[in-house]
Structure formats: C-alpha cells, structure tokens
Amino acid sequence: MKKIIKNSIWTVAIAIACMSMTACGSDDEVTEKPSTTDPVESSTLYAYGISSSGTRSIEDTHNALFSEDDILWFDVNTREIRFRDTMGPLRETIPLLAGVDFYLSGEYLFSGGATHVGLICNQIFDDLVLCCGKIDGEVIDDGHYHLYDCYPLQFINDERVQANRIKRAAQWETFTKYLESKGKLRK
C-alpha cells in the first residue's frame, strides 16, 4: 500500500513539474488562437444566405455571405454597401431571389430579412432587398450592391413599402450606428 501511495505522489510531482515547465516557457512564444471560419466568432455583424424557398435548413446556418470584415463602407444616402475586392461576387454564393438574414452580436437584426435581387429581376418587392447591380449611363455594373427598401425603386412611396420601412426603423438605426462606430459609414 505504501508503494502505491509513494508512486502516486511521484506521479503527481512529475505532472506538476511538467505543467510548471510548460507554463514558464519563453516570453517569445506566442500561443495563437486557432483560426475559425465561424462568423459568430470572427465578427459581430454578418449575413447568411437562406434558400429561395424561404425555409431554413441546417446548411443555411453555415452559408455565411459576408461579415463586417468584408464591408469597406456603407453609404446612407445611396444605400450602397461596398465590399472588399478580396470577396467574391455574391451571385456566386447565393442565388437571386434567395433570402439574406442579417445578424448583429448573434441576434437577428432585420425583421423579415432581405431578398437578394438583381437589376434584371422583373418582380416587385415591397420590403428590404440586397440589390446587385448599378446602371451608370448605358453600362450595367454588377459589382455594386445596395440595401433598398423595395425593388424596383419606383415603388418607394407605396404604403406597404413605407409601413415596412417604419416597422424596421429601429433596426435600421442600429445597423447604421454600428457601422458608424466601426468607421464604415459614409454620409
């Protein structure tokens, strides 16, 4: 019995010595946090793509479209959201007419989300859209994205569009104030 206790004490002593030596390593050594692709851990503002059927599946929760790190700036007047050049086109990540859910600090931001549309879309939307494209004279540039209250913009004064805009006002203010705090808001 004494031998078992003696061996146990030696085992504990060796374990403590090993932990002490590891903890007292060189100050030059920096333990890096493992990299993660989880948008919740890597940023606070992020957007997910949702299937065009409007239903959420387990795959949708891993379909991060972009995070605040991908945003260069957002212009409150034109509603353009400019992404970094390193980010690929959203049309390659999410199909047109699919949903886009925005989250801030892990909480759902915009009620109803947004719909991903392009300039060629012939449907009318009376709520938030993430519109891909910009017409500059006679040139269509699909490298631009806008967060509009409706699509097409000629329906901006429709009462349903205005009601949705009012319903979303607090979330919109949170969105713009957050981007301003990050230095990503243009006025």
Side-chain angles (χ1 to χ4, degrees):
M1 184 74 162
K2 276 186 173 182
K3 189 174 184 178
I4 294 174
I5 293 173
K6 200 178 211 182
N7 286 342
S8 296
I9 291 173
W10 276 109
T11 305
V12 171
I14 292 170
I16 290 172
C18 288
M19 288 189 295
S20 296
M21 287 190 301
T22 304
C24 295
S26 168
D27 289 339
D28 296 336
E29 294 176 21
V30 177
T31 305
E32 288 188 34
K33 185 178 179 183
S35 64
T36 178
T37 56
D38 183 2
V40 176
E41 292 181 20
S42 64
S43 93
T44 304
L45 176 68
Y46 55 96
Y48 282 126
I50 304 300
S51 67
S52 56
S53 68
T55 59
R56 290 184 178 95
S57 67
I58 191 68
E59 292 82 23
D60 290 331
T61 62
H62 300 292
N63 188 14
L65 295 176
F66 59 87
S67 72
E68 69 185 42
D69 296 332
D70 298 313
I71 299 172
L72 284 175
W73 48 261
F74 177 75
D75 188 317
V76 292
N77 297 313
T78 64
R79 298 280 189 95
E80 182 175 2
I81 185 168
R82 179 63 59 97
F83 296 107
R84 296 190 182 284
D85 292 337
T86 55
M87 192 175 110
L90 289 180
R91 70 180 179 280
E92 294 176 6
T93 311
I94 183 173
L96 291 175
L97 305 181
V100 179
D101 283 349
F102 288 80
Y103 288 83
L104 183 60
S105 300
E107 298 293 322
Y108 191 61
L109 183 60
F110 293 120
S111 58
T115 303
H116 183 224
V117 300
L119 294 176
I120 60 169
C121 187
N122 62 358
Q123 289 180 288
I124 297 172
F125 296 90
D126 61 9
D127 209 349
L128 193 63
V129 295
L130 178 61
C131 183
C132 171
K134 174 183 176 184
I135 299 176
D136 192 11
E138 295 182 15
V139 177
I140 296 177
D141 181 355
D142 66 354
H144 292 265
Y145 297 90
H146 296 82
L147 277 173
Y148 291 140
D149 290 315
C150 65
Y151 182 84
L153 288 176
Q154 67 196 42
F155 293 99
I156 193 70
N157 293 321
D158 181 83
E159 62 185 62
R160 288 176 299 198
V161 172
Q162 291 303 310
N164 288 331
R165 188 175 185 176
I166 290 168
K167 183 172 59 175
R168 190 177 49 252
Q171 292 95 358
W172 190 260
E173 184 176 354
T174 301
F175 175 72
T176 56
K177 281 185 177 183
Y178 181 78
L179 289 176
E180 184 173 40
S181 76
K182 296 295 183 176
K184 297 183 180 214
L185 193 69
R186 286 189 172 181
K187 295 182 181 182

